[in-house]
Amino acid sequence: MPPEQRRAVLVQATLPLLLEHGTAITTRQIAEAAGIAEGTIFRVFPDKESLIEAVVEAAFDPTPFEADLARIPMELPLPARLERAVDLLQRRIASIGRLMAAAGMTRPPGGAAAAVQQRPPTSVEALARLFEPDQDRLRRSPLDAAVLLRAMTFAGTHPMMVEEPMRPAEIVDVVLHGIDATEVPPC
């Protein structure tokens, strides 16, 4: 098996073990889960910590999430498109939260926070595309709307913010219509 394929197999096999056992997982457990000899791990990674870092890095990679967003049918009405996006985003938030807890992390790895301050992450741009067909109905740009949707989803999902996660339809309704029960005139 080529090294990159071996690396991918090890990362994939390690993720569920990391979620179950935290950083106390053993290389023996990893090898058994990957169906390889224990020594093979060290031909790909210098140590267990490097493998765990690779698992975390893979979990934070936005590419699979963005691919899922791109598969949302654009012919759906805007609320339905956004509800699907919120559902995907909530799953991602929960998954990354579980991983961070299992790995004993208190913040995203590397310079992720600094990068977000410099420019929106690509996942926000992928969310913005969902707003574009209806941009003539919006008071904000698709990118601004995507930033709001992402922020509201995080706030309505993260266990430190709410006791129970908001349903995707609730989040979308708040983003699209606010909390005012009266009709708001367009700006």
Side-chain angles (χ1 to χ4, degrees):
M1 182 182 316
E4 279 307 309
Q5 188 178 0
R6 221 176 326 192
R7 178 181 171 87
V9 166
L10 284 166
V11 166
Q12 186 176 8
T14 304
L15 177 59
L17 294 170
L18 184 60
L19 290 171
E20 185 178 343
H21 303 286
T23 57
I25 56 175
T26 66
T27 54
R28 178 182 298 270
Q29 289 172 307
I30 294 167
E32 287 175 6
I36 60 170
E38 191 172 356
T40 304
I41 294 170
F42 302 107
R43 290 189 195 111
V44 182
F45 294 97
D47 52 36
K48 182 179 85 170
E49 290 72 26
S50 298
L51 173 54
I52 290 172
E53 286 175 20
V55 171
V56 170
E57 183 180 307
F60 274 86
D61 178 8
T63 307
F65 171 67
E66 292 165 4
D68 288 342
L69 288 176
R71 285 191 283 279
I72 295 174
M74 296 302 281
E75 60 274 1
L76 291 174
L78 179 62
R81 287 193 309 265
L82 299 182
E83 285 176 30
R84 288 189 183 191
V86 168
D87 180 60
L88 291 169
L89 190 51
Q90 285 182 312
R91 290 175 199 225
R92 180 167 170 77
I93 290 166
S95 173
I96 286 176
R98 284 190 307 273
L99 178 63
M100 288 179 66
M105 299 169 61
T106 58
R107 66 181 76 176
V116 169
Q117 290 174 359
Q118 291 175 0
R119 69 179 275 297
T122 54
S123 58
V124 172
E125 293 167 357
L127 283 169
R129 284 192 282 283
L130 297 173
F131 286 95
E132 288 172 357
D134 296 276
Q135 63 187 341
D136 59 326
R137 309 178 25 204
L138 305 174
R139 290 187 282 161
R140 306 294 285 267
S141 72
L143 188 59
D144 286 347
V147 168
L148 289 170
L149 180 67
R150 183 173 178 262
M152 186 65 199
T153 301
F154 185 81
T157 302
H158 197 282
M160 291 183 72
M161 304 284 196
V162 291
E163 280 187 38
E164 287 291 320
M166 293 174 69
R167 292 184 341 271
E170 292 175 295
I171 292 170
V172 169
D173 183 60
V174 170
V175 170
L176 291 179
H177 307 292
I179 60 171
D180 188 350
T182 62
E183 191 172 324
V184 179
C187 293

